[in-house]
Amino acid sequence: MTPGYRGLIHRYRDFLPTLKDGDIVSLLEGNTPLVEAPRLAKAIGAPQISLYLKIEGLNPTGSFKDRGMTMALSRAVQEGSKAVICGSTGNTSASAAAYAARAGLKCVVLIPEGNIALGKLSQAMMHGAEVLSIQGNFDQALELVKEISASHPITMVNSLNPMRLEGQKTGAFEIVDVLGHAPDYQFMPVGNAGNITAYWMGYKEYFDKKKAGSKPKMMGFQAAGSAPIVNGAPVKDPKTIATAIKIGNPASWKKAEQARDESGGVIDAVTDDEIIEAYKLMSSLEGVFCEPASAAGVAGLKKHIAQKKLDLKKGAAVVCILTGHGLKDPERAIAVSPKPASIKADLKAILDHLKI
Ligand code: F0G
């Protein structure tokens, strides 16, 4: 047993479904930093607030999925399952592959061909998953996974598996434990809509158990070309550069609407340009590099500040969930950045270029 932090199942055991120690599959996920971001707050027009970034990219496989996967794989082991399966825009497959490897289970992942960021694909491949590149989109992949897992002895580890949401709700616990209270607002991206559902479960549970005196407004953001909840209808051919949330028919649609309505929050859309702007602002102003989809929450915050839709008093606590690490999608980062200057290995040439 590694000394020190033992992962989120040990930490939040009293709030999670029961698991025996011997069944726990963990890579010491959770306990991610909540970083204050005053320069970003100022840049988006709300210098008076206390803005925090929850850096979920610092989980073991670089996304929040690890919170759910430690629960899903532990339960799969407890039930004697020999294999797991998921459909994924990338991060779920990376996490499932890693936790299945750790547990010694077989892992099958269905990904939409040509629509998954390189870092994520490399992870699923390296962890030894059977990777099936589907000639279709995420929604089709998920339908196939549902059919396969319903009729074959293979455990589905998409967020329709209730263990996933149980694990992911611990993100809310950590935020309250660090701040000492619930935030006023939480901003986050919405794709298949599991994570907004899980966070709301977590906040409600902490409130009911008197660990927090209030609950935040849940503010979820879809990409404009892929915004079924905002449009009120499934999107057959979703489009966005934020491939993680390129989803046209979210599995937890109704639960996300419930989280929005019970909390007095909003589910809205942001354009790809707004996403890229927030993505660049965060990395250049705060040194925090997340993947494009993760920036949707910050883009949403900026948009709603500009529209004066929020009640942001001095010191209001606002948390943005940065769901995945920037290194997941290096191609996008390079595409939106200026090209490095190519210069002779010569002192004068460098000084002339720098004009110093
Ligand atoms: N951010 C990132 C980086 C994601 O990978 C996802 C979902 C989301 C946000 C949205 O979360 O689906 O719970 O609303 N990625 C899934 C996947 C769909 O397959 O990796 P959600």
Side-chain angles (χ1 to χ4, degrees):
M1 172 77 65
T2 325
Y5 179 71
R6 295 171 69 198
L8 61 82
I9 294 182
H10 284 287
R11 178 159 177 198
Y12 291 112
R13 220 162 194 175
D14 296 347
F15 300 88
L16 293 169
T18 314
L19 289 162
K20 288 205 299 288
D21 271 13
D23 293 333
I24 293 176
V25 183
S26 173
L27 287 162
L28 308 188
E29 54 294 309
N31 199 23
T32 56
L34 190 66
V35 174
E36 199 163 1
R39 280 157 58 81
L40 180 64
K42 194 166 167 215
I44 61 178
Q48 80 282 11
I49 66 172
S50 295
L51 175 61
Y52 299 91
L53 307 174
K54 177 78 168 154
I55 307 188
E56 288 292 276
L58 290 176
N59 274 297
T61 76
S63 86
F64 71 95
K65 306 287 180 178
D66 297 342
R67 293 184 184 276
M69 222 45 88
T70 185
M71 283 299 300
L73 263 291
S74 299
R75 179 52 65 91
V77 166
Q78 186 179 50
E79 289 175 346
S81 173
K82 297 283 176 271
V84 297
I85 187 168
C86 65
S88 179
T89 56
N91 281 323
T92 300
S93 64
S95 184
Y99 282 79
R102 183 108 175 132
L105 266 62
K106 188 175 157 55
C107 178
V108 179
V109 306
L110 273 63
I111 53 169
E113 194 159 284
N115 278 295
I116 131 165
L118 264 192
K120 306 173 188 182
L121 179 61
S122 71
Q123 289 176 290
M125 292 167 72
M126 278 301 286
H127 293 305
E130 173 102 38
V131 180
L132 303 180
S133 196
I134 299 298
Q135 293 153 22
N137 60 27
F138 168 83
D139 301 289
Q140 292 167 302
L142 185 59
E143 279 311 310
L144 290 163
V145 163
K146 282 199 247 175
E147 279 182 43
I148 297 166
S149 60
S151 52
H152 294 81
I154 185 162
T155 305
M156 119 116 72
V157 293
N158 280 102
S159 55
L160 288 163
N161 177 329
M163 290 303 117
R164 281 278 313 278
L165 301 188
E166 289 289 339
Q168 285 171 215
K169 76 184 179 189
T170 61
F173 299 165
E174 287 179 13
I175 290 168
V176 174
D177 287 344
V178 168
L179 292 180
H181 54 82
D184 297 294
Y185 289 93
Q186 175 167 305
F187 284 75
M188 64 196 302
V190 173
N192 214 22
N195 211 29
I196 191 168
T197 304
Y199 265 94
W200 183 237
M201 274 167 59
Y203 284 121
K204 281 199 297 189
E205 200 169 326
Y206 249 29
F207 179 81
D208 290 344
K209 296 198 171 137
K210 309 226 171 343
K211 302 274 287 182
S214 63
K215 290 169 280 188
K217 289 189 165 47
M218 302 296 288
M219 311 291 284
F221 291 85
Q222 303 193 294
S226 174
I229 301 178
V230 181
N231 300 346
V235 177
K236 221 177 158 58
D237 184 19
K239 290 198 169 53
T240 170
I241 52 97
T243 52
I245 53 171
K246 194 171 173 179
I247 294 175
N249 192 13
S252 298
W253 186 323
K254 289 282 160 282
K255 289 182 183 161
E257 287 183 335
Q258 224 174 313
R260 174 196 66 193
D261 298 342
E262 287 175 13
S263 72
V266 165
I267 296 180
D268 191 9
V270 281
T271 65
D272 281 3
D273 285 350
E274 289 169 325
I275 289 173
I276 293 295
E277 188 195 4
Y279 171 62
K280 291 169 83 170
L281 266 182
M282 244 181 302
S283 16
S284 60
L285 289 181
E286 298 288 3
V288 174
F289 185 26
C290 66
E291 66 171 284
S294 302
V298 174
L301 172 59
K302 182 168 184 287
K303 176 178 168 183
H304 280 239
I305 289 172
Q307 295 179 343
K308 303 195 175 359
K309 284 187 175 164
L310 308 170
D311 177 22
L312 294 176
K313 297 189 179 58
K314 188 169 162 38
V318 177
V319 174
C320 294
I321 311 297
L322 304 187
T323 46
H325 201 289
L327 291 174
K328 292 275 191 174
D329 195 354
E331 288 178 305
R332 181 59 57 188
I334 289 168
V336 302
S337 302
K339 238 176 113 182
S342 171
I343 290 194
K344 257 201 293 182
D346 174 79
L347 184 60
K348 184 167 178 329
I350 292 172
L351 293 178
D352 283 351
H353 178 84
L354 293 177
K355 298 185 181 64
I356 53 172

